[in-house]
Amino acid sequence: MVQKPATELIVCAILYICFLIYSFYKNYELSNENLSNYHSLDAGWSLFNFRRRDDFDWEWEHYLGFVQRNGIYFLLHTIVMELTRRFCAKQVSTVLTIYGLVVIYSMYNLPVLAVILAQSLSFYYANPPNYYRRAVWMKTFLWIAVINYFKVWYFYDKLNVHFGIDNDQLLELSLITSWNVIKCASFCLDKGAEGPSAKHYAVRDLLAYLLYFPLLLMGPAIVYSRFKTLHNHFKDELEPHTLPDRLWTLAKRLTMAWFWTLVMLAGQHFLYVNLIQQDLVLLRHVNLWALYGLGFLMGQFFYIKYVVFYGVGIAFGRFDGIDMPAKPICIARVNQYSDMWKYFDRSLYEFLFKYIYTELCTKTSGLPRKVLASLATFAFIYIWHGVFLFILIWSLINWVCILLERLVNHCTPADSRWRAIIGTHVFIPSVLSNFFFFASERVGFIYLERTYTEGLSNYIGLYVASYCFYQTGQLVKIEQTNRANEAKRVN
């Protein structure tokens, strides 16, 4: 049945859009030459020669540089995979392993290649049958501890000299080994669950999984059960489709990633999101419309960034026949932060849910056990991202808010106004927690302080805007449900 949205939801959506437009305008006003470090910004496009480009997002700038330096390997990957599909499809793991080893050596050097091999082989071997899962998890936490040690206390001081690489390459090595911790754990835990006679669990399969180039640096870090579908789809299911059709589909997906790259770069000429957040004095006194608009833009720029990162990997993965997850959900319409965890980084969520949460509790488990399972899940998120204060605060607030969100959902009907009225109070700190993650703990504390200590009228204003945000998310869910029902009816 088609559900007609309430008039209130439509009104809230209109107000929500108006609030965003005004807050964007206030941020555009702030994005000018009076900001500190303005003259150190990138010159930008000649099309906008009157505006510099905000290049203070190191993750985005690094990815652009990585693609410019190593983009040829994406093309070579496509050629190698097509040749393998035609002439030796059963040896795809061997081909991917050899190609991955050659690429790593070409991009870096032998010491970097040795580290990646040591990590993968240490996971694969020396797992006693009687303590198999414990051994895998022990190695997982040991490698996380090693990566965090060098990342937090030793990272840029000496390690790049030891490996003979520059700082950018050292950062890439840190990202690759961090992703590979998750991949190694997924591979080995699946191998233990399926038994020694299961197919596609040899060393070459592990290395093919870890060294698959389109997912090497920026992910997504899909679980092995998804990657293993490559062996089923590589020859049989993709063979009826012509190469031109598949190349056209790949080109369309990469064009969308390129389009969002242009949107991101154009937006950085007019909204200096990353530069503004460096000025803590400004954040403590700026107009609240601009402050919360800046927070929203942090989230949107982060979303677009990962649509590009993951979109490229997903495009190549689907071209090769891998069952890839969907791209991140747009955070501008997420009103339940449990949905943010489920649908933004779907691969990370699958790993956490499959290997941690469901191993510690089931649907029939009592509430205390479920709370402890969720705490263990967020504890893993904290140590895997890095043992920094801002990561700890972000993880802890998210854990508490998701528990409160579940309580609100349990006590209120899904379509009731009371869920929105109460849930908005939980939604606000959930959003604020992300400013610790997007920026730093100092920026996050400024948002918390100004939200809860600058008077009741300011909080009510934020609450009204957040309520409209919450109800707009509900409107989007209704429209999605209606479309799904309509599609079922037609079929």
Side-chain angles (χ1 to χ4, degrees):
M1 295 293 294
V2 175
Q3 181 181 357
K4 184 178 180 180
T7 303
E8 177 186 338
L9 301 186
I10 298 174
V11 171
C12 285
I14 295 172
L15 290 174
Y16 170 53
I17 294 171
C18 294
F19 292 155
L20 290 183
I21 292 173
Y22 183 69
S23 63
F24 290 173
Y25 173 72
K26 299 302 290 185
N27 273 272
Y28 173 74
E29 284 188 326
L30 283 180
S31 302
N32 57 53
E33 65 276 5
N34 295 322
L35 291 170
S36 58
N37 296 319
Y38 169 81
H39 295 286
S40 66
L41 295 179
D42 181 69
W45 294 346
S46 58
L47 177 65
F48 305 130
N49 57 2
F50 59 97
R51 302 283 303 187
R52 289 182 175 269
R53 185 178 70 85
D54 182 0
D55 60 345
F56 269 62
D57 186 338
W58 65 266
E59 191 176 39
W60 175 250
E61 300 300 321
H62 186 88
Y63 181 76
L64 295 179
F66 177 83
V67 172
Q68 290 174 356
R69 294 191 307 272
N70 304 302
I72 185 64
Y73 293 115
F74 287 100
L75 176 61
L76 292 176
H77 168 87
T78 304
I79 296 172
V80 168
M81 291 296 279
E82 282 307 304
L83 292 174
T84 304
R85 187 189 312 279
R86 291 180 179 274
F87 300 111
C88 51
K90 293 183 179 180
Q91 303 301 322
V92 61
S93 288
T94 302
V95 172
L96 281 174
T97 298
I98 295 172
Y99 180 75
L101 293 174
V102 171
V103 168
I104 292 293
Y105 181 76
S106 301
M107 290 195 305
Y108 306 107
N109 55 27
L110 190 60
V112 171
L113 180 59
V115 169
I116 295 173
L117 286 174
Q119 184 183 37
S120 57
L121 296 179
S122 69
F123 269 93
Y124 190 84
Y125 294 107
N127 297 314
N130 294 336
Y131 304 98
Y132 185 87
R133 296 182 67 83
R134 293 181 184 179
V136 172
W137 278 114
M138 182 184 71
K139 293 174 183 179
T140 300
F141 290 118
L142 179 61
W143 271 103
I144 290 175
V146 170
I147 293 169
N148 281 337
Y149 171 75
F150 289 112
K151 186 190 301 183
V152 178
W153 293 287
Y154 199 78
F155 196 58
Y156 285 111
D157 294 332
K158 302 175 183 177
L159 197 59
N160 56 338
V161 177
H162 296 331
F163 284 125
I165 54 180
D166 59 35
N167 287 345
D168 287 343
Q169 292 174 318
L170 182 59
L171 175 61
E172 290 167 14
L173 177 60
S174 174
L175 292 171
I176 292 170
T177 52
S178 295
W179 285 123
N180 282 357
V181 167
I182 286 180
K183 295 179 184 178
C184 286
S186 175
F187 180 95
C188 292
L189 292 171
D190 283 1
K191 180 175 181 286
E194 296 196 21
S197 60
K199 292 182 179 181
H200 308 303
Y201 284 99
V203 176
R204 64 178 180 274
D205 297 308
L206 173 60
L207 290 173
Y209 175 41
L210 300 181
L211 301 177
Y212 182 76
F213 182 74
L215 307 182
L216 181 69
L217 181 69
M218 297 307 299
I222 59 175
V223 294
Y224 185 65
S225 57
R226 282 189 178 274
F227 184 82
K228 197 170 64 167
T229 58
L230 170 69
H231 299 283
N232 299 326
H233 298 167
F234 192 57
K235 186 68 177 175
D236 299 331
E237 295 189 22
L238 289 178
E239 194 174 29
H241 300 284
T242 64
L243 178 59
D245 289 339
R246 293 174 49 247
L247 285 173
W248 175 242
T249 302
L250 174 63
K252 288 190 293 184
R253 289 169 176 160
L254 293 178
T255 300
M256 284 304 301
W258 177 70
F259 167 77
W260 285 114
T261 299
L262 295 181
V263 170
M264 181 80 160
L265 292 173
Q268 289 176 321
H269 285 80
F270 298 95
L271 297 165
Y272 297 161
V273 173
N274 295 283
L275 182 61
I276 293 173
Q277 66 186 247
Q278 310 294 322
D279 192 337
L280 301 183
V281 175
L282 175 64
L283 294 183
R284 289 191 179 95
H285 300 96
V286 74
N287 177 280
L288 288 174
W289 281 104
L291 182 72
Y292 292 118
L294 175 68
F296 182 91
L297 288 168
M298 285 187 209
Q300 283 305 110
F301 275 56
F302 186 83
Y303 160 70
I304 294 174
K305 183 167 63 175
Y306 274 85
V307 164
V308 175
F309 294 168
Y310 287 3
V312 172
I314 290 169
F316 281 99
R318 289 181 176 168
F319 178 80
D320 291 332
I322 300 173
D323 180 21
M324 299 296 294
K327 286 185 287 188
I329 189 174
C330 179
I331 62 177
R333 60 181 180 85
V334 175
N335 64 345
Q336 298 267 304
Y337 254 70
S338 55
D339 290 344
M340 181 71 80
W341 282 101
K342 288 179 184 178
Y343 304 123
F344 189 84
D345 192 336
R346 301 169 197 253
S347 297
L348 180 60
Y349 174 79
E350 284 183 352
F351 177 88
L352 297 170
F353 186 78
K354 179 178 181 179
Y355 300 111
I356 300 178
Y357 186 80
T358 57
E359 290 293 322
L360 297 175
C361 72
T362 64
K363 288 184 178 181
T364 59
S365 298
L367 179 61
R369 189 173 183 88
K370 289 182 177 180
V371 170
L372 289 175
S374 64
L375 178 61
T377 303
F378 278 93
F380 181 87
I381 292 168
Y382 163 59
I383 64 171
W384 180 72
H385 275 91
V387 286
F388 299 99
L389 177 60
F390 71 94
I391 298 292
L392 175 62
I393 298 171
W394 168 69
S395 304
L396 187 60
I397 295 177
N398 267 263
W399 175 64
V400 172
C401 287
I402 285 179
L403 293 181
L404 293 174
E405 179 187 287
R406 289 181 178 177
L407 178 62
V408 173
N409 292 349
H410 177 74
C411 297
T412 59
D415 56 351
S416 73
R417 185 179 288 109
W418 280 109
R419 174 170 292 190
I421 291 173
I422 301 172
T424 300
H425 288 291
V426 179
F427 177 75
I428 290 173
S430 298
V431 173
L432 296 179
S433 71
N434 287 311
F435 304 144
F436 289 89
F437 186 75
F438 296 152
S440 67
E441 62 267 20
R442 292 180 298 175
V443 173
F445 281 128
I446 289 173
Y447 272 91
L448 284 178
E449 179 182 351
R450 296 201 64 184
T451 298
Y452 293 107
T453 66
E454 290 202 0
L456 182 61
S457 60
N458 286 332
Y459 181 78
I460 290 175
L462 173 62
Y463 178 86
V464 170
S466 299
Y467 180 86
C468 292
F469 191 138
Y470 193 102
Q471 293 291 58
T472 301
Q474 192 63 28
L475 175 63
V476 172
K477 288 181 179 179
I478 291 173
E479 290 301 318
Q480 287 180 323
T481 302
N482 289 342
R483 290 181 184 179
N485 291 339
E486 182 66 20
K488 289 179 182 179
R489 188 185 65 81
V490 172
N491 294 331

